[in-house]
Structures are given as structure tokens and as C-alpha cells.
Amino acid sequence: QVTVAWTAFEAGILVEKLHPQVLLVDVGAGDVSGPRLAQTIRPYEQLADIRLIAMGAGLSEGDAHGLVQDGFFGCLRKPFD
């Protein structure tokens, strides 16, 4: 099942309600940065097993490495092939 949230607030509500296995985050769009979202989710033990995957256009190797250090499991670069 795929569920879409258009704001960080809506995403927070859905994460708590649905407890997804994977959270795909477009780090270049939205009302909160990817690192801030990871910092918000990671302290909650009940959400620790969610795989955060960042996606974005123009992500460099350094950007991807930084996002992994911030708590993301991995990164996808747009556009997708």
C-alpha cells in the first residue's frame, strides 16, 4: 500500500497511524528538510525500524553520505531511469 503526505505535519500523523516499513522522503520539496525529519523520527523507539529513504534531484555523493549520517537508510537520485 502506498500513502502520500503533502506536508511534514500530515506525514507525522500518517507515520504514527500506519507505522510504515518504508518512508520515502523527497528532500528537495516540502515544508521541512530531510535531516530535520530524520532527527524528529529517530528518537522514537517505536519508529526505529522504519527505513527512511531520501530522494532528490541533483544529490551529490556528499549529499547522500550526509543524509545517511543524518539517519536515512539510503538515497535515490531523480530523475529515475
Side-chain angles (χ1 to χ4, degrees):
Q1 176 181 340
V2 175
T3 304
V4 176
W6 297 104
T7 67
F9 182 78
E10 184 182 6
I13 291 170
L14 291 171
V15 164
E16 192 169 22
K17 178 181 175 184
L18 302 175
H19 194 82
Q21 294 176 340
V22 175
L23 187 60
L24 187 60
V25 180
D26 189 338
V27 295
D31 55 342
V32 70
S33 72
R36 178 72 177 126
L37 182 65
Q39 291 167 0
T40 301
I41 289 175
R42 287 297 173 221
Y44 293 95
E45 193 173 309
Q46 68 271 27
L47 303 177
D49 60 338
I50 295 175
R51 298 236 173 162
L52 290 174
I53 307 292
M55 67 176 178
L59 290 177
S60 69
E61 287 296 322
D63 294 334
H65 181 71
L67 288 164
V68 169
Q69 286 184 325
D70 288 331
F72 282 84
F73 181 77
C75 296
L76 300 172
R77 292 187 184 98
K78 297 190 306 185
F80 305 120
D81 291 332

